[in-house]
Amino acid sequence: MPRPRSEKARQSVLDAMRRALAADGYEAVTIEGLAEAAGVSKQTIYRWWKTKAAILGEALLEGSLPGSDVAVPMTDDLGADLRAWFTAVSAGLARPEGVALARALIEVTAADPELGLLLNERLAAPIREWVAERVARGCEAGDVRADVDAAAIADQFIATASYSALIGQPLPAERVESTVALLLRGIGE
């Protein structure tokens, strides 16, 4: 039976993972490096977590996530709001920490599908909330059909933002414009 974790040491490992991810990317993170940075042994880490992906998953569940702090105010212009959202989020996720996060999420999900679902839900929840509110406002204003599925729209937002992160580049203005135009044609009254 494993001994209870020292909370301070556990936090040190999780903090070390977050710092290493931001500094060097997930691929460069090693258990040896985490142990040294946290002041614990490799054996201690392996007693607490089975894989590097498990450490990352726990660190991300408990800490702040790159790109999760993007706030896009809503205006009376649905198209402008959608363009602002895609521009802000794709720029944020194209930064090195956003790219590292997207790629690490793929590895975490492959190693531990249940943890991957929890992490992806945590990332997606603010997007779904923003989209649901914006679609509701659009319906009230007569800009969006009443039968529009906000969750389906949010999935498109998430997919587009994820693609931006995976390629490590913000969406070009032309791509943002064509994506928003297509979306508006599909949901408009």
Side-chain angles (χ1 to χ4, degrees):
M1 175 176 195
R3 293 189 339 225
R5 300 183 203 182
S6 159
E7 186 57 31
K8 185 176 178 183
R10 181 181 134 335
Q11 269 316 127
S12 292
V13 174
L14 297 176
D15 290 343
M17 173 57 89
R18 286 189 279 273
R19 284 191 307 274
L21 178 66
D24 302 315
Y26 183 72
E27 299 80 22
V29 174
T30 64
I31 297 298
E32 292 82 9
L34 291 175
E36 183 178 327
V40 300
S41 71
K42 285 180 8 181
Q43 293 79 10
T44 296
I45 290 177
Y46 282 120
R47 261 194 315 261
W48 294 344
W49 295 280
K50 291 180 182 180
T51 64
K52 179 173 84 165
I55 301 167
L56 174 64
E58 191 170 330
L60 293 175
L61 278 176
E62 292 185 6
S64 65
L65 298 172
S68 66
D69 57 350
V70 173
V72 179
M74 294 183 200
T75 69
D76 291 335
D77 185 338
L78 176 60
D81 290 354
L82 298 179
R83 282 188 291 280
W85 188 92
F86 277 117
T87 300
V89 171
S90 75
L93 288 175
R95 293 190 311 252
E97 62 271 17
V99 173
L101 174 63
R103 293 176 181 166
L105 278 172
I106 291 170
E107 190 159 338
V108 169
T109 301
D112 185 340
E114 188 175 318
L115 179 59
L117 284 173
L118 288 172
L119 284 169
N120 281 295
E121 182 53 38
R122 179 159 179 237
L123 281 170
I127 298 168
R128 287 197 178 101
E129 290 168 13
W130 188 90
V131 170
E133 183 176 343
R134 191 60 192 93
V135 166
R137 286 183 182 198
C139 287
E140 290 170 9
D143 297 329
V144 176
R145 291 189 333 269
D147 66 340
V148 168
D149 182 351
I153 303 294
D155 287 345
Q156 296 307 307
F157 277 48
I158 294 163
T160 302
S162 297
Y163 173 73
S164 175
L166 287 173
I167 63 171
Q169 298 177 8
L171 294 171
E174 304 81 34
R175 177 61 53 86
V176 168
E177 188 59 43
S178 64
T179 300
V180 170
L182 181 64
L183 183 59
L184 289 174
R185 277 197 305 274
I187 67 173
E189 278 288 356

